[in-house]
Amino acid sequence: MHESESWTPVDTITVEVMPHGESSEMTFTQHIIVPHEEGWTRDDIEKAIREYNSGSEQGWHMMFEGLKQLLETGEINYPSQ
């Protein structure tokens, strides 16, 4: 891959909704495949995976926090970045 080329990780997100008494339970599962360049060492690949997992975890946290706010108040107030 050349520096001018860009790539993004390949995500598969599965959402399961199951009855749970008088309510429902939602399960979110994310599987990330992090592409890498030829010549990367095992350490390089593991570092890239950790970075993508960390970024993904932050995104999920923000999304669920927004959903919680929406359900509790009818509004979403994300902090300024």
Side-chain angles (χ1 to χ4, degrees), residues 7 15 39 44 66 72:
W7 52 267
V15 180
D44 294 332
E72 292 176 349

Side-chain angles (χ1 to χ4, degrees), residues 2 9-10 17 29 46 51 55 61 64 73 76 79:
H2 296 93
V10 178
V17 181
T29 306
E46 289 174 0
E51 289 172 354
H61 174 75
F64 283 119
T73 68
I76 298 175

Side-chain angles (χ1 to χ4, degrees), residues 9-58:
V10 178
D11 288 0
T12 302
I13 299 173
T14 304
V15 180
E16 293 179 82
V17 181
M18 301 292 294
H20 190 75
E22 293 184 21
S23 60
S24 297
E25 179 178 281
M26 295 178 78
T27 303
F28 295 80
T29 306
Q30 180 178 23
H31 183 269
I32 301 173
I33 299 171
V34 180
H36 56 278
E37 296 182 27
E38 187 176 326
W40 279 18
T41 65
R42 181 181 219 54
D43 288 342
D44 294 332
I45 295 168
E46 289 174 0
K47 180 182 178 209
I49 290 170
R50 283 192 305 273
E51 289 172 354
Y52 279 106
N53 285 340
S54 176
S56 181
E57 184 177 315
Q58 291 172 9

Side-chain angles (χ1 to χ4, degrees), residues 59 61-67 69 75-81:
H61 174 75
M62 186 175 224
M63 190 269 304
F64 283 119
E65 182 60 32
L67 180 58
Q69 288 177 15
E75 297 179 9
I76 298 175
N77 296 305
Y78 287 119
S80 300
Q81 294 188 8

